[in-house]
Amino acid sequence: MEEGRRARHERVDSARLVYTTSPLQIGRPRVEVVIVPNAKAGGELIAEAMAALVRRKPDALLGVATGSTPLPVYEALAAKVEAGAADVAQVRICQLDEYVGLPAGHPESYRAVVLREVVEPLGLSEASFMGPDGSAEDIVAACDAYDRALAEAGGVDLQLLGIGTDGHIGFNEPCSSLASRTRIKTLTHQTRVDNARFFGGDMDQVPHHVITQGIGTILDARHLVLLATGEGKAEAVAQTVEGPLSALVPASALQLHRHATVVVDEAAASKLKLADYFRQTYADKPAWQGL
């Protein structure tokens, strides 16, 4: 009997340890799901979380993603800056991934995209920005250098993520190692099809290789925020949140993180079995917890 009680107490103590790493973590599920009416609402919600972070830590390192999905976030954050509701003068921006082999200055290099869509609208200088070198002669060395640079910068405070229709995050395609670090990856056919819209619909112009933060690198960030919109992402979202942890669905690695938030619109939430539960828990969440 005494051993049984001691074992139960040990399990309780272990559970408490999971949630006492930060006062803001008390009672959080492994992945919090927030269902919003539309992409604009999702953008505003995440932008406010970024602004709140910057109020607490003015020199926060924000990890940004590219593509069309996160644009409402950047637009909402820029609007806050313009209105004087957020001071980002000391903020630093870091890149999630970069194409390999695009010529310097190519408008669809992710460096160019981040500068155009994030850094410049926030009124920041290029000196506040860091990313991997996709044109380096030694790509492996460039990958290692970027991993070191992120660590030396103090780590990413908030990493914004999108999700592919196959469940990839960054360019960690299905069956990527869940412990992977920044490295070169070969893009799948589906990912190149998805990204052809940024190259005038010509898939032949889409590079075959990228440098990407690995899943292990992504998990080093203090807060992960994944934004997904549209019915085309619904299956990937359901597998990420409700499915098993699996390398087949790289985004499912968010289940390992102590502070992971998935923000989805109604269409992207359409295949969630626990959608009503997620709505209720967010509606009843204490305001002081934030996102």
Side-chain angles (χ1 to χ4, degrees):
M1 290 288 290
E2 183 61 32
E3 289 182 358
R5 281 195 295 271
R6 184 162 56 249
R8 286 195 296 274
H9 290 160
E10 289 173 353
R11 285 196 294 272
V12 169
D13 289 342
S14 296
R16 284 173 180 158
L17 287 173
V18 170
Y19 293 108
T20 56
T21 54
S22 163
L24 294 179
Q25 300 304 305
I26 298 172
R28 287 190 186 275
R30 266 296 180 251
V31 177
E32 179 180 35
V33 178
V34 181
I35 301 173
V36 295
N38 50 49
K40 183 178 180 180
E44 178 61 36
L45 181 68
I46 296 171
E48 178 52 38
M50 289 179 168
L53 168 62
V54 172
R55 292 182 200 112
R56 298 192 304 271
K57 185 177 182 181
D59 66 343
L61 180 56
L62 301 180
V64 297
T66 53
S68 55
T69 299
L71 290 179
V73 178
Y74 308 142
E75 291 165 359
L77 185 58
K80 288 181 182 296
V81 171
E82 186 175 355
D87 181 357
V88 298
Q90 299 179 57
V91 164
R92 298 163 296 156
I93 303 293
C94 67
Q95 205 171 326
L96 184 61
D97 38 43
E98 180 58 276
Y99 286 121
V100 171
L102 287 183
H106 192 289
E108 293 308 321
S109 73
Y110 286 137
R111 182 180 188 87
V113 171
V114 171
L115 289 173
R116 184 170 65 242
E117 296 180 349
V118 184
V119 175
E120 293 172 4
L122 293 180
L124 298 172
S125 70
E126 193 167 348
S128 68
F129 171 76
M130 57 191 298
D133 184 359
S135 61
E137 290 187 10
D138 189 338
I139 292 295
V140 173
C143 293
D144 291 342
Y146 190 50
D147 240 19
R148 288 195 305 273
L150 290 173
E152 290 167 0
V156 179
D157 292 294
L158 185 153
Q159 177 64 59
L160 180 61
L161 299 166
I163 186 170
T165 54
D166 58 3
H168 74 256
I169 51 174
F171 278 113
N172 296 284
E173 302 284 7
C175 287
S176 291
S177 165
L178 301 185
S180 55
R181 309 302 300 180
T182 299
R183 67 211 190 286
I184 185 171
K185 289 291 289 182
T186 300
L187 299 181
T188 65
H189 176 77
Q190 183 59 56
T191 296
R192 294 182 67 240
V193 168
D194 290 346
N195 286 2
R197 67 189 188 277
F198 300 114
F199 292 82
D202 183 358
M203 205 174 87
D204 290 338
Q205 298 300 312
V206 182
H208 287 267
H209 300 95
V210 291
I211 292 175
T212 184
Q213 286 188 34
I215 296 175
T217 308
I218 290 170
L219 291 176
D220 284 344
R222 295 176 182 87
H223 185 189
L224 299 179
V225 180
L226 187 152
L227 175 62
T229 57
E231 189 175 0
K233 302 295 179 70
E235 182 61 33
V237 167
Q239 290 295 322
T240 294
V241 173
E242 298 176 338
L245 176 66
S246 171
L248 283 173
V249 184
S252 68
L254 269 66
Q255 296 177 27
L256 298 171
H257 201 271
R258 67 182 185 180
H259 189 184
T261 307
V262 173
V263 179
V264 291
D265 67 0
E266 291 290 348
S270 61
K271 295 191 177 181
L272 289 172
K273 296 177 182 177
L274 298 176
D276 288 342
Y277 165 77
F278 294 133
R279 290 189 182 94
Q280 178 187 344
T281 54
Y282 185 69
D284 294 342
K285 181 179 178 179
W288 56 265
Q289 275 194 318
L291 193 62

